[in-house]
Amino acid sequence: MTPFTRRAIPMGWLFGLASLLGAQSHTVYTVQGDAPHDLLGIATAGVGDVDGDGTPDFAVGAYEAQGSTGMVKVLSGRTGLLLLTLRGSEAGERFGCAVAGVGDIDRDGHADVLVGSYMVDRATLFSGRTGLPLWRGSGAAGSSFGLSVGAAGDVDRDGVPDWIVGAPLDDAAGEDSGCAVVYSGRTGGELWRFHGAAPHDWFGYAVNGAGDVDRDGAADLIVGACYEDLGFVNTGSARVYSGRSGAVLHTFAGSAQSDWFGVAVACAGDLDRDGHDDIVVGASGADDGGPDSGSATAFSGRTGKVLFHWVGALPGDEFGVAVAGGADLDGDRRPDVVVGAYRGSVALSGAGSVYAFSGHNGKQLVVQHGENVDDRLGVSVALLGDLDGDGYGEFAAGAVYSDLGGRDAGCARVFSFAARALTANVLTISVATGGTQVLSIDVGPEHAGRSFLLLGSASGTAPGFKLQGVEVPLRFDNYTQYTTTNLNSSLLLGSPGTLDALGRGTARLQLPTGMPASLVGTTLFHAAVVYDNKVRLATNAAPVNLLE
């Protein structure tokens, strides 16, 4: 008999975890470099649904891996497991310096991934289904073609997504003037080629799609030239181009010498709800908060006016070195913005920081800091979408000098905007050797003394099921039935249990050695329900992946 039937609990209501726990972010996944000096995290990107499971996935570049050949890890947004490893083919090519998810180019139901290799002036598009190359493009020798890559959207309105590649050291308009090239997803051919205005502009240092800024039905483009001299030396610029005509729609510039405005550019989505997509530009050398504190600015796509201007917290933070936008983090159905400050020292010297800001009012939503001195968290940032279906978005940031996998192996962290009521100490257990996953519950002191029960599913989190009116994020299956009837078993120790004075509790999933090899590849999910005389809430689901 379960505690629920014994207590005859009446219908309950699911309490929103965000209101209970506050707007605090939480680390969902940590991906580390494989070897010292890999510098994994130099690039991060949301890449869409690569494995076809209905959940967005993400990619992380490690451009110094394998003797600077470089590699990219593509990981599941649902489980955090490795889906694909993409590798460079030449020593020193620095494959993985830039990465982007460009959509399903070959229409096979799997999102595809674009990777830059700037030392060999190349960009390669890979199938998300097979990991094999679909397209390769090259720039002029020494042009650093591939230093930046981006999803362009449907520029030519043929129903297939397109992409853009930057070559900041291209010499077509003078030494290191730079260029950016837009390619057709349908044919792989060139759609547009834009050039820097003068020598040493480094036009194309940052490239991206701008959304539909002018509402003409064609996706537009944005290109940063962080060393352009517009009024001041190295003030930097960003230009927005029409995808339909190639004309310049907006030119934005920094406000002082060495602002490096345009070091990062992104579509911000429609922040002001005027029907036009807006854009965000980073200026990591801006001095608004002190020398090289950095800044990021969101501009109206319709008028070009400043919507929001954010400033680095301390001198030397280089806030704005990376920017991302266009997805909702806080559940208000408005796109938000994430900004990296990779030299940030708010927490620890050079640990780096990543900030999330509301696209509704510009206020800071959350900040995450690097865990160690000189980690350089925030050198890259990405908005990933809602990975767990809780209505709140996740975002990622790279920390290239993290030592988790060895000195300077680097890492990338995925953060959930909403605090998670159920967290796990490990995400994988070996079928052969067995192991323990500690599941920690934290739902706040208002639930002190209440009971909890851990439930499980071996078949996923959706659709969930209702327990006395409360939605539990697990697909009901035989394992769910097992966890409701085998209480405090040797498999799930400490469940059911009682929450302490702070609303915390712990249970353990204990898997024995020598489990059947047929379980390899299975993902178990667990969620806790909290109850007294009625069900009060259900936590998020936490996964554990069964490996060899």
Side-chain angles (χ1 to χ4, degrees):
M1 180 180 292
T2 71
F4 308 111
T5 55
R6 183 173 65 245
R7 297 189 180 189
I9 302 173
M11 294 290 286
W13 296 94
L14 179 61
F15 283 61
L17 292 182
S19 62
L20 290 172
L21 304 174
Q24 304 173 11
S25 63
H26 171 78
T27 302
V28 182
Y29 305 127
T30 298
V31 184
Q32 65 187 47
D34 294 338
H37 309 294
D38 275 2
L39 300 189
L40 183 129
I42 190 64
T44 56
V47 293
D49 187 6
V50 169
D51 56 358
D53 68 352
T55 301
D57 304 309
F58 62 100
V60 185
Y63 75 155
E64 291 289 354
Q66 299 172 319
S68 300
T69 298
M71 71 173 180
V72 170
K73 293 186 176 186
V74 182
L75 301 115
S76 165
R78 185 173 68 93
T79 66
L81 287 179
L82 184 67
L83 299 176
L84 293 171
T85 300
L86 309 174
R87 303 182 189 277
S89 57
E90 300 178 39
E93 73 172 270
R94 289 185 169 84
F95 175 94
C97 63
V99 61
V102 296
D104 184 6
I105 301 300
D106 55 1
R107 300 185 180 186
D108 64 352
H110 299 258
D112 304 313
V113 181
L114 181 65
V115 182
S117 306
Y118 79 97
M119 286 299 290
V120 293
D121 306 298
R122 185 165 61 221
T124 308
L125 178 70
F126 293 88
S127 164
R129 183 174 63 86
T130 67
L132 297 175
L134 297 174
W135 171 91
R136 281 195 176 97
S138 299
S143 66
S144 289
F145 180 93
L147 183 68
S148 58
V149 300
D154 189 3
V155 172
D156 54 2
R157 299 181 300 163
D158 65 353
V160 182
D162 309 310
W163 60 88
I164 183 170
V165 181
L169 301 188
D170 185 84
D171 297 334
E175 184 181 8
D176 298 344
S177 53
C179 77
V181 188
V182 184
Y183 293 93
S184 164
R186 184 172 61 86
T187 68
E190 187 175 311
L191 296 175
W192 295 109
R193 180 177 291 259
F194 307 117
H195 293 283
H200 310 294
D201 278 359
W202 282 47
F203 177 91
Y205 186 85
V207 298
N208 229 318
D212 189 2
V213 168
D214 53 3
R215 289 194 68 184
D216 66 352
D220 304 313
L221 300 314
I222 182 168
V223 182
C226 56
Y227 291 144
E228 185 171 2
D229 301 337
L230 276 182
F232 305 92
V233 174
N234 293 341
T235 184
S237 74
R239 288 181 173 82
V240 180
Y241 293 88
S242 165
R244 180 192 288 266
S245 68
V248 176
L249 300 175
H250 296 293
T251 298
F252 304 108
S255 58
Q257 180 173 325
S258 299
D259 271 1
W260 304 330
F261 183 93
V263 70
V265 297
C267 175
D270 186 5
L271 301 179
D272 53 4
R273 289 189 169 179
D274 65 353
H276 297 253
D277 283 314
D278 307 310
I279 58 104
V280 59
V281 181
S284 59
D287 300 333
D288 302 48
D292 295 342
S293 54
S295 70
T297 308
F299 297 93
S300 165
R302 181 174 64 87
T303 67
K305 291 183 178 179
V306 173
L307 298 176
F308 303 113
H309 182 69
W310 301 288
V311 176
L314 294 173
D317 276 4
E318 294 198 32
F319 174 94
V321 71
V323 298
D328 180 21
L329 286 176
D330 57 358
D332 67 353
R333 299 185 180 180
R334 300 278 285 268
D336 301 310
V337 173
V338 174
V339 182
Y342 85 122
R343 292 185 180 271
S345 299
V346 173
L348 296 166
S349 177
S353 303
V354 56
Y355 298 80
F357 297 96
S358 166
H360 170 58
N361 56 30
K363 292 183 179 180
Q364 181 178 307
L365 297 173
V366 71
V367 60
Q368 284 284 351
H369 302 297
E371 296 186 341
N372 299 287
V373 171
D374 292 331
D375 268 3
R376 298 292 197 263
L377 181 75
V379 68
S380 63
V381 298
L383 280 163
L384 307 182
D386 184 4
L387 303 185
D388 55 6
D390 66 353
Y392 300 92
E394 278 70 52
F395 60 100
V400 284
Y401 293 133
S402 167
D403 296 335
L404 285 177
R407 183 170 178 81
D408 297 343
C411 79
R413 300 187 190 279
V414 174
F415 303 102
S416 172
F417 172 78
R420 298 202 168 190
L422 182 66
T423 57
N425 67 326
V426 296
L427 295 176
T428 61
I429 293 179
S430 166
V431 167
T433 62
T436 300
Q437 182 189 51
V438 179
L439 293 155
S440 301
I441 303 166
D442 185 351
V443 291
E446 58 266 49
H447 296 288
R450 287 177 173 154
S451 299
F452 69 86
L453 177 67
L454 210 65
L455 303 176
S457 174
S459 52
T461 59
F465 66 92
K466 287 190 176 181
L467 189 60
Q468 287 134 7
V470 171
E471 184 76 17
V472 181
L474 299 171
R475 182 192 292 269
F476 198 98
D477 60 15
N478 289 336
Y479 182 55
T480 314
Q481 183 66 38
Y482 173 88
T483 58
T484 62
T485 56
N486 292 269
L487 306 182
N488 199 29
S489 66
S490 59
L491 184 67
L492 284 175
L493 301 175
S495 180
T498 302
L499 299 172
D500 66 15
L502 296 177
R504 296 174 179 173
T506 301
R508 288 174 171 80
L509 174 69
Q510 183 72 54
L511 296 182
T513 60
M515 292 185 295
S518 59
L519 292 176
V520 172
T522 299
T523 300
L524 300 178
F525 292 89
H526 296 91
V529 292
V530 175
Y531 62 97
D532 43 26
N533 63 330
K534 62 180 180 180
V535 176
R536 297 292 179 173
L537 63 86
T539 70
N540 58 285
V544 61
N545 305 291
L546 305 186
L547 307 180
E548 292 183 5

